[in-house]
Amino acid sequence: TGGRRGPDIISTVEFNHTGELLATGDKGGRVVIFQREPESKNAPHSQGEYDVYSTFQSHEPEFDYLKSLEIEEKINKIKWLPQQNAAHSLLSTNDKTIKLWKITERDKRPEGYNLKDEEGKLKDLSTVTSLQVPVLKPMDLMVEVSPRRVFANGHTYHINSISVNSDCETYMSADDLRINLWHLAITDRSFNIVDIKPANMEDLTEVITASEFHPHHCNLFVYSSSKGSLRLCDMRAAALCDKHSKLFEEPEDPSNRSFFSEIISSVSDVKFSHSGRYMLTRDYLTVKVWDLNMEARPIETYQVHDYLRSKLCSLYENDCIFDKFECAWNGSDSVIMTGAYNNFFRMFDRNTKRDVTLEASRESSKPRAVLKPRRVCVGGKRRRDDISVDSLDFTKKILHTAWHPAENIIAIAATNNLYIFQDKVNSEMH
């Protein structure tokens, strides 16, 4: 493992629609794809092992000469496209440029050409006396990754999210102030569907932090803001969706008001449930579940690490208060997961209201090791195995997590290590 700031720090994790493939992007602009091994007859428990399937350089560092700005190669987001044929496709983006990649397998090669020799050079035609039928011979499996399209020049500000539409033909990309709609086949133009840039930049009060299409209705999408609000937009209503259809916002509790209120209410991630009925959001201290039919307040709020409420001053000074944690649903929308500090991640069961803190560490990643629940204590009384809030390591943060679409398999990015845990026994993760 490299250094903390090294190019191999994982910056995004994403399962494909079947969960057979898992892609990670890193700070160095690389994409690594893992493939799940099929279950073998001899070892029925070996299924679920993910092995490296392909690694490729998606983005290179660039320089914007007009603005004298370096554009870093870090992969901000990866989104898989629904599979249409034997090949797999994914979109990857850095701050400015989105690319469409195609991943194909080759395990046969043609042999016995009439006009070319084994090296591929053209034969002297006078030596060709008979015709033969070329044949396909088996060869070692090769995974080929090829860039199919490059979607550039669509964004003035940094891209924070991309989302593929359920129509499988279009996708959107969001930056701090604008959201664009693209057609997957057209690279030289996109349609601006949200623009919150004020005429005078001094009047700027909020930015877009994340956005996502509804999983079933191709006309609906949501975007979150740094002020803690969610806006649900309907593309059937107008071409420019500046006027949202619904605004989801929780009124602030005046008793909790502090210097940090606005910073910690900024939404760092928003995810529709698989059913399409709910939205999950993460802010600095909580995860919330919203019902699409109720705008006034979330239907559920879960404390991720409430023991940090008294530590906001130092978290502001070391910039941790600006960390952007993601959140994820399990396949049945009954459990939600999100990361925390000290390589901890949290799970909340919506039905039983039980919650657990788990740790992604070298010890817990030994094969068949069982994850032990962890507890953080505040103040004097400490039980055995409790971790004091003052000894938490804030450089070890789990920002990026993903949940297999159907099974209890989770992927956790802890700086430059990827952990894959699976629940072999229970149907739900506890």
Side-chain angles (χ1 to χ4, degrees), residues 282-312:
R282 170 73 206 255
D283 56 37
Y284 193 61
L285 295 176
T286 67
V287 272
K288 294 173 180 165
V289 176
W290 302 78
D291 187 320
L292 256 64
N293 302 324
M294 191 169 92
E295 296 151 80
R297 63 185 180 279
I299 55 167
E300 297 158 28
T301 299
Y302 301 97
Q303 299 297 332
V304 177
H305 38 207
D306 204 44
Y307 46 79
L308 296 184
R309 210 173 277 279
S310 59
K311 300 258 176 280
L312 294 176

mmCIF file of all heavy atoms in Angstrom, residues 282-312:
data_model
loop_
_atom_site.group_PDB
_atom_site.id
_atom_site.type_symbol
_atom_site.label_atom_id
_atom_site.label_comp_id
_atom_site.label_asym_id
_atom_site.label_seq_id
_atom_site.Cartn_x
_atom_site.Cartn_y
_atom_site.Cartn_z
ATOM 1 N N ARG A 282 -27.041 11.721 3.079
ATOM 2 C CA ARG A 282 -26.026 11.743 4.129
ATOM 3 C C ARG A 282 -25.599 13.186 4.317
ATOM 4 O O ARG A 282 -25.303 13.891 3.348
ATOM 5 C CB ARG A 282 -24.832 10.858 3.685
ATOM 6 C CG ARG A 282 -23.585 10.953 4.565
ATOM 7 C CD ARG A 282 -23.766 10.254 5.920
ATOM 8 N NE ARG A 282 -22.891 10.856 6.927
ATOM 9 C CZ ARG A 282 -21.779 10.301 7.381
ATOM 10 N NH1 ARG A 282 -21.391 9.121 6.948
ATOM 11 N NH2 ARG A 282 -21.059 10.915 8.305
ATOM 12 N N ASP A 283 -25.576 13.647 5.547
ATOM 13 C CA ASP A 283 -24.897 14.909 5.851
ATOM 14 C C ASP A 283 -23.779 14.572 6.841
ATOM 15 O O ASP A 283 -23.457 13.408 7.028
ATOM 16 C CB ASP A 283 -25.867 15.983 6.378
ATOM 17 C CG ASP A 283 -26.649 15.522 7.590
ATOM 18 O OD1 ASP A 283 -26.072 14.801 8.427
ATOM 19 O OD2 ASP A 283 -27.833 15.881 7.721
ATOM 20 N N TYR A 284 -23.167 15.552 7.481
ATOM 21 C CA TYR A 284 -21.949 15.247 8.234
ATOM 22 C C TYR A 284 -22.193 14.300 9.404
ATOM 23 O O TYR A 284 -21.403 13.392 9.651
ATOM 24 C CB TYR A 284 -21.262 16.536 8.716
ATOM 25 C CG TYR A 284 -19.860 16.261 9.224
ATOM 26 C CD1 TYR A 284 -18.896 15.736 8.380
ATOM 27 C CD2 TYR A 284 -19.516 16.497 10.545
ATOM 28 C CE1 TYR A 284 -17.612 15.456 8.823
ATOM 29 C CE2 TYR A 284 -18.230 16.226 11.016
ATOM 30 C CZ TYR A 284 -17.288 15.707 10.142
ATOM 31 O OH TYR A 284 -16.011 15.421 10.576
ATOM 32 N N LEU A 285 -23.303 14.482 10.115
ATOM 33 C CA LEU A 285 -23.516 13.673 11.324
ATOM 34 C C LEU A 285 -24.611 12.633 11.184
ATOM 35 O O LEU A 285 -24.718 11.735 12.027
ATOM 36 C CB LEU A 285 -23.843 14.584 12.521
ATOM 37 C CG LEU A 285 -22.735 15.541 12.978
ATOM 38 C CD1 LEU A 285 -23.241 16.437 14.105
ATOM 39 C CD2 LEU A 285 -21.490 14.788 13.420
ATOM 40 N N THR A 286 -25.460 12.715 10.148
ATOM 41 C CA THR A 286 -26.618 11.814 10.074
ATOM 42 C C THR A 286 -26.838 11.232 8.677
ATOM 43 O O THR A 286 -26.313 11.750 7.693
ATOM 44 C CB THR A 286 -27.930 12.549 10.464
ATOM 45 O OG1 THR A 286 -28.223 13.540 9.460
ATOM 46 C CG2 THR A 286 -27.813 13.239 11.807
ATOM 47 N N VAL A 287 -27.610 10.134 8.645
ATOM 48 C CA VAL A 287 -28.247 9.705 7.395
ATOM 49 C C VAL A 287 -29.751 9.826 7.583
ATOM 50 O O VAL A 287 -30.268 9.560 8.671
ATOM 51 C CB VAL A 287 -27.902 8.257 6.959
ATOM 52 C CG1 VAL A 287 -26.665 8.191 6.125
ATOM 53 C CG2 VAL A 287 -27.835 7.318 8.126
ATOM 54 N N LYS A 288 -30.444 10.228 6.500
ATOM 55 C CA LYS A 288 -31.893 10.433 6.584
ATOM 56 C C LYS A 288 -32.572 9.703 5.445
ATOM 57 O O LYS A 288 -32.037 9.632 4.338
ATOM 58 C CB LYS A 288 -32.223 11.930 6.489
ATOM 59 C CG LYS A 288 -31.715 12.726 7.682
ATOM 60 C CD LYS A 288 -31.907 14.231 7.493
ATOM 61 C CE LYS A 288 -31.374 14.969 8.718
ATOM 62 N NZ LYS A 288 -31.198 16.405 8.480
ATOM 63 N N VAL A 289 -33.755 9.172 5.737
ATOM 64 C CA VAL A 289 -34.588 8.561 4.704
ATOM 65 C C VAL A 289 -35.785 9.480 4.474
ATOM 66 O O VAL A 289 -36.473 9.860 5.423
ATOM 67 C CB VAL A 289 -35.061 7.156 5.128
ATOM 68 C CG1 VAL A 289 -36.010 6.580 4.077
ATOM 69 C CG2 VAL A 289 -33.872 6.228 5.342
ATOM 70 N N TRP A 290 -36.010 9.824 3.213
ATOM 71 C CA TRP A 290 -37.119 10.696 2.834
ATOM 72 C C TRP A 290 -38.109 9.897 1.995
ATOM 73 O O TRP A 290 -37.714 9.089 1.167
ATOM 74 C CB TRP A 290 -36.629 11.880 2.006
ATOM 75 C CG TRP A 290 -35.595 12.740 2.663
ATOM 76 C CD1 TRP A 290 -34.271 12.472 2.799
ATOM 77 C CD2 TRP A 290 -35.811 14.018 3.264
ATOM 78 N NE1 TRP A 290 -33.644 13.504 3.460
ATOM 79 C CE2 TRP A 290 -34.554 14.474 3.753
ATOM 80 C CE3 TRP A 290 -36.940 14.831 3.436
ATOM 81 C CZ2 TRP A 290 -34.412 15.700 4.400
ATOM 82 C CZ3 TRP A 290 -36.784 16.061 4.072
ATOM 83 C CH2 TRP A 290 -35.528 16.486 4.554
ATOM 84 N N ASP A 291 -39.401 10.156 2.221
ATOM 85 C CA ASP A 291 -40.448 9.573 1.389
ATOM 86 C C ASP A 291 -40.744 10.585 0.282
ATOM 87 O O ASP A 291 -40.935 11.767 0.563
ATOM 88 C CB ASP A 291 -41.697 9.338 2.250
ATOM 89 C CG ASP A 291 -42.781 8.572 1.496
ATOM 90 O OD1 ASP A 291 -42.974 8.845 0.300
ATOM 91 O OD2 ASP A 291 -43.434 7.715 2.114
ATOM 92 N N LEU A 292 -40.798 10.124 -0.966
ATOM 93 C CA LEU A 292 -41.033 11.052 -2.079
ATOM 94 C C LEU A 292 -42.364 11.786 -1.936
ATOM 95 O O LEU A 292 -42.554 12.838 -2.529
ATOM 96 C CB LEU A 292 -41.017 10.298 -3.424
ATOM 97 C CG LEU A 292 -39.745 10.500 -4.242
ATOM 98 C CD1 LEU A 292 -38.534 9.947 -3.524
ATOM 99 C CD2 LEU A 292 -39.865 9.905 -5.623
ATOM 100 N N ASN A 293 -43.262 11.207 -1.124
ATOM 101 C CA ASN A 293 -44.580 11.832 -0.961
ATOM 102 C C ASN A 293 -44.647 12.779 0.225
ATOM 103 O O ASN A 293 -45.714 13.297 0.527
ATOM 104 C CB ASN A 293 -45.653 10.745 -0.802
ATOM 105 C CG ASN A 293 -45.671 9.805 -1.995
ATOM 106 O OD1 ASN A 293 -45.451 10.245 -3.115
ATOM 107 N ND2 ASN A 293 -45.905 8.530 -1.755
ATOM 108 N N MET A 294 -43.523 12.980 0.923
ATOM 109 C CA MET A 294 -43.549 13.874 2.078
ATOM 110 C C MET A 294 -42.333 14.791 2.087
ATOM 111 O O MET A 294 -41.213 14.347 2.292
ATOM 112 C CB MET A 294 -43.592 13.061 3.375
ATOM 113 C CG MET A 294 -43.880 13.932 4.575
ATOM 114 S SD MET A 294 -44.232 12.966 6.028
ATOM 115 C CE MET A 294 -42.634 12.833 6.737
ATOM 116 N N GLU A 295 -42.597 16.069 1.852
ATOM 117 C CA GLU A 295 -41.475 16.998 1.707
ATOM 118 C C GLU A 295 -41.052 17.654 3.013
ATOM 119 O O GLU A 295 -39.938 18.149 3.128
ATOM 120 C CB GLU A 295 -41.863 18.103 0.706
ATOM 121 C CG GLU A 295 -42.106 17.584 -0.690
ATOM 122 C CD GLU A 295 -43.109 18.442 -1.457
ATOM 123 O OE1 GLU A 295 -42.699 19.500 -1.962
ATOM 124 O OE2 GLU A 295 -44.289 18.051 -1.535
ATOM 125 N N ALA A 296 -41.965 17.701 3.996
ATOM 126 C CA ALA A 296 -41.744 18.540 5.180
ATOM 127 C C ALA A 296 -40.558 18.090 6.018
ATOM 128 O O ALA A 296 -39.814 18.906 6.556
ATOM 129 C CB ALA A 296 -43.005 18.580 6.032
ATOM 130 N N ARG A 297 -40.352 16.768 6.124
ATOM 131 C CA ARG A 297 -39.261 16.283 6.961
ATOM 132 C C ARG A 297 -38.963 14.830 6.600
ATOM 133 O O ARG A 297 -39.810 14.150 6.010
ATOM 134 C CB ARG A 297 -39.604 16.405 8.447
ATOM 135 C CG ARG A 297 -40.783 15.581 8.869
ATOM 136 C CD ARG A 297 -41.170 15.808 10.320
ATOM 137 N NE ARG A 297 -42.326 14.979 10.654
ATOM 138 C CZ ARG A 297 -43.585 15.301 10.362
ATOM 139 N NH1 ARG A 297 -43.846 16.434 9.731
ATOM 140 N NH2 ARG A 297 -44.580 14.483 10.674
ATOM 141 N N PRO A 298 -37.781 14.336 6.962
ATOM 142 C CA PRO A 298 -37.477 12.932 6.672
ATOM 143 C C PRO A 298 -38.340 12.005 7.516
ATOM 144 O O PRO A 298 -38.773 12.376 8.611
ATOM 145 C CB PRO A 298 -35.996 12.796 7.040
ATOM 146 C CG PRO A 298 -35.724 13.915 7.989
ATOM 147 C CD PRO A 298 -36.659 15.024 7.639
ATOM 148 N N ILE A 299 -38.572 10.793 7.025
ATOM 149 C CA ILE A 299 -39.362 9.844 7.828
ATOM 150 C C ILE A 299 -38.465 9.106 8.818
ATOM 151 O O ILE A 299 -38.944 8.556 9.803
ATOM 152 C CB ILE A 299 -40.138 8.839 6.942
ATOM 153 C CG1 ILE A 299 -39.201 8.110 5.979
ATOM 154 C CG2 ILE A 299 -41.252 9.536 6.190
ATOM 155 C CD1 ILE A 299 -39.846 6.899 5.318
ATOM 156 N N GLU A 300 -37.164 9.090 8.559
ATOM 157 C CA GLU A 300 -36.225 8.442 9.485
ATOM 158 C C GLU A 300 -34.929 9.244 9.511
ATOM 159 O O GLU A 300 -34.464 9.722 8.483
ATOM 160 C CB GLU A 300 -35.897 7.004 9.020
ATOM 161 C CG GLU A 300 -37.079 6.061 9.003
ATOM 162 C CD GLU A 300 -36.866 4.873 8.068
ATOM 163 O OE1 GLU A 300 -35.696 4.484 7.857
ATOM 164 O OE2 GLU A 300 -37.859 4.342 7.537
ATOM 165 N N THR A 301 -34.359 9.382 10.712
ATOM 166 C CA THR A 301 -33.047 10.018 10.864
ATOM 167 C C THR A 301 -32.184 9.127 11.749
ATOM 168 O O THR A 301 -32.625 8.697 12.819
ATOM 169 C CB THR A 301 -33.171 11.412 11.512
ATOM 170 O OG1 THR A 301 -33.981 12.243 10.662
ATOM 171 C CG2 THR A 301 -31.801 12.073 11.651
ATOM 172 N N TYR A 302 -30.971 8.833 11.285
ATOM 173 C CA TYR A 302 -30.064 7.973 12.048
ATOM 174 C C TYR A 302 -28.774 8.741 12.336
ATOM 175 O O TYR A 302 -28.213 9.376 11.433
ATOM 176 C CB TYR A 302 -29.727 6.711 11.244
ATOM 177 C CG TYR A 302 -30.941 5.883 10.885
ATOM 178 C CD1 TYR A 302 -31.540 6.014 9.642
ATOM 179 C CD2 TYR A 302 -31.484 4.984 11.804
ATOM 180 C CE1 TYR A 302 -32.654 5.251 9.297
ATOM 181 C CE2 TYR A 302 -32.606 4.220 11.470
ATOM 182 C CZ TYR A 302 -33.187 4.356 10.218
ATOM 183 O OH TYR A 302 -34.291 3.614 9.887
ATOM 184 N N GLN A 303 -28.340 8.675 13.601
ATOM 185 C CA GLN A 303 -27.099 9.345 13.999
ATOM 186 C C GLN A 303 -25.912 8.457 13.619
ATOM 187 O O GLN A 303 -25.833 7.323 14.054
ATOM 188 C CB GLN A 303 -27.089 9.599 15.510
ATOM 189 C CG GLN A 303 -28.221 10.490 15.996
ATOM 190 C CD GLN A 303 -28.163 11.892 15.425
ATOM 191 O OE1 GLN A 303 -27.098 12.408 15.091
ATOM 192 N NE2 GLN A 303 -29.318 12.521 15.295
ATOM 193 N N VAL A 304 -25.014 8.993 12.808
ATOM 194 C CA VAL A 304 -23.856 8.202 12.379
ATOM 195 C C VAL A 304 -22.766 8.221 13.448
ATOM 196 O O VAL A 304 -22.242 7.186 13.847
ATOM 197 C CB VAL A 304 -23.300 8.728 11.037
ATOM 198 C CG1 VAL A 304 -22.058 7.946 10.630
ATOM 199 C CG2 VAL A 304 -24.367 8.634 9.956
ATOM 200 N N HIS A 305 -22.419 9.430 13.891
ATOM 201 C CA HIS A 305 -21.408 9.561 14.954
ATOM 202 C C HIS A 305 -21.698 10.833 15.747
ATOM 203 O O HIS A 305 -20.992 11.829 15.624
ATOM 204 C CB HIS A 305 -19.961 9.560 14.390
ATOM 205 C CG HIS A 305 -19.792 10.296 13.103
ATOM 206 N ND1 HIS A 305 -18.805 9.988 12.191
ATOM 207 C CD2 HIS A 305 -20.468 11.342 12.565
ATOM 208 C CE1 HIS A 305 -18.886 10.809 11.153
ATOM 209 N NE2 HIS A 305 -19.870 11.629 11.364
ATOM 210 N N ASP A 306 -22.739 10.734 16.549
ATOM 211 C CA ASP A 306 -23.203 11.915 17.292
ATOM 212 C C ASP A 306 -22.172 12.388 18.311
ATOM 213 O O ASP A 306 -22.179 13.545 18.727
ATOM 214 C CB ASP A 306 -24.530 11.601 17.986
ATOM 215 C CG ASP A 306 -25.326 12.865 18.262
ATOM 216 O OD1 ASP A 306 -25.385 13.719 17.355
ATOM 217 O OD2 ASP A 306 -25.867 13.001 19.376
ATOM 218 N N TYR A 307 -21.254 11.452 18.677
ATOM 219 C CA TYR A 307 -20.207 11.827 19.638
ATOM 220 C C TYR A 307 -19.256 12.886 19.061
ATOM 221 O O TYR A 307 -18.438 13.444 19.793
ATOM 222 C CB TYR A 307 -19.428 10.581 20.076
ATOM 223 C CG TYR A 307 -19.021 9.669 18.935
ATOM 224 C CD1 TYR A 307 -17.921 9.953 18.129
ATOM 225 C CD2 TYR A 307 -19.753 8.513 18.666
ATOM 226 C CE1 TYR A 307 -17.560 9.122 17.078
ATOM 227 C CE2 TYR A 307 -19.394 7.667 17.621
ATOM 228 C CZ TYR A 307 -18.293 7.983 16.825
ATOM 229 O OH TYR A 307 -17.942 7.164 15.790
ATOM 230 N N LEU A 308 -19.357 13.186 17.771
ATOM 231 C CA LEU A 308 -18.480 14.235 17.201
ATOM 232 C C LEU A 308 -19.089 15.629 17.321
ATOM 233 O O LEU A 308 -18.437 16.617 16.993
ATOM 234 C CB LEU A 308 -18.198 13.939 15.718
ATOM 235 C CG LEU A 308 -17.408 12.656 15.429
ATOM 236 C CD1 LEU A 308 -17.128 12.538 13.941
ATOM 237 C CD2 LEU A 308 -16.095 12.641 16.212
ATOM 238 N N ARG A 309 -20.334 15.695 17.793
ATOM 239 C CA ARG A 309 -20.989 17.008 17.857
ATOM 240 C C ARG A 309 -20.195 17.999 18.707
ATOM 241 O O ARG A 309 -20.138 19.187 18.401
ATOM 242 C CB ARG A 309 -22.407 16.845 18.418
ATOM 243 C CG ARG A 309 -23.380 17.873 17.911
ATOM 244 C CD ARG A 309 -24.798 17.569 18.354
ATOM 245 N NE ARG A 309 -25.492 16.611 17.511
ATOM 246 C CZ ARG A 309 -26.081 16.924 16.349
ATOM 247 N NH1 ARG A 309 -26.030 18.156 15.894
ATOM 248 N NH2 ARG A 309 -26.702 15.996 15.650
ATOM 249 N N SER A 310 -19.543 17.487 19.754
ATOM 250 C CA SER A 310 -18.770 18.390 20.625
ATOM 251 C C SER A 310 -17.367 18.644 20.069
ATOM 252 O O SER A 310 -16.603 19.410 20.632
ATOM 253 C CB SER A 310 -18.667 17.779 22.023
ATOM 254 O OG SER A 310 -18.032 16.512 21.923
ATOM 255 N N LYS A 311 -17.020 17.969 18.980
ATOM 256 C CA LYS A 311 -15.652 18.075 18.435
ATOM 257 C C LYS A 311 -15.603 18.886 17.144
ATOM 258 O O LYS A 311 -14.590 18.874 16.439
ATOM 259 C CB LYS A 311 -15.117 16.666 18.127
ATOM 260 C CG LYS A 311 -15.056 15.761 19.324
ATOM 261 C CD LYS A 311 -13.632 15.655 19.840
ATOM 262 C CE LYS A 311 -13.488 14.842 21.088
ATOM 263 N NZ LYS A 311 -13.837 15.522 22.315
ATOM 264 N N LEU A 312 -16.711 19.574 16.812
ATOM 265 C CA LEU A 312 -16.788 20.224 15.505
ATOM 266 C C LEU A 312 -15.713 21.291 15.309
ATOM 267 O O LEU A 312 -15.240 21.512 14.195
ATOM 268 C CB LEU A 312 -18.181 20.813 15.290
ATOM 269 C CG LEU A 312 -19.306 19.760 15.181
ATOM 270 C CD1 LEU A 312 -20.674 20.417 15.077
ATOM 271 C CD2 LEU A 312 -19.067 18.832 13.993
#
